Amino acid sequence: MMLYAIVGEDRPDSLASRLAARPAHVERLTALQDEGRLLLAGPFPAIDSPDPGPAGFTGSLIVAEFASLEAASSWADADPYVVAGVYAKVIVKPFKKALPA
């Protein structure tokens, strides 16, 4: 198993779609967490605030363990945000955690 960073970039004006798909998105992340495979996950607020309100978000970051890049990419492709059209682009890269040790 290796860590992979998954970066989703939101389409403009995707907040309503994001909010509608969020429960299913979080459910998949919770499953990774329950399996001990999730290092971190969260959205990028569109403004300098933890609660951006109607400004929404510009994307998300997930760092989790997968068996391979192919497995991480397949998991990312099935994300409810992808299915709902929230993300315009998704990047999946191998990730090596250096700190904190």
Side-chain angles (χ1 to χ4, degrees):
M1 291 287 240
M2 182 168 173
L3 289 171
Y4 294 86
I6 301 168
V7 180
E9 295 180 8
D10 284 19
R11 293 184 189 282
D13 301 315
S14 62
L15 183 58
S17 296
R18 175 183 266 274
L19 294 175
R22 187 174 187 277
H25 172 77
V26 171
E27 185 177 320
R28 292 179 84 232
L29 292 170
T30 301
L32 284 180
Q33 179 178 312
D34 291 348
E35 294 168 11
R37 296 171 46 203
L38 182 65
L39 183 64
L40 62 88
F44 299 117
I47 59 174
D48 191 13
S49 171
D51 182 6
F57 301 90
T58 62
S60 303
L61 170 65
I62 299 164
V63 180
E65 275 188 331
F66 292 92
S68 66
L69 178 58
E70 182 180 354
S73 294
S74 292
W75 187 90
D77 288 345
D79 192 292
Y81 285 173
V82 171
V83 176
V86 173
Y87 292 153
K89 177 179 173 183
V90 178
I91 298 167
V92 181
K93 296 181 178 186
F95 179 81
K96 181 179 176 186
K97 180 179 178 258
L99 294 171

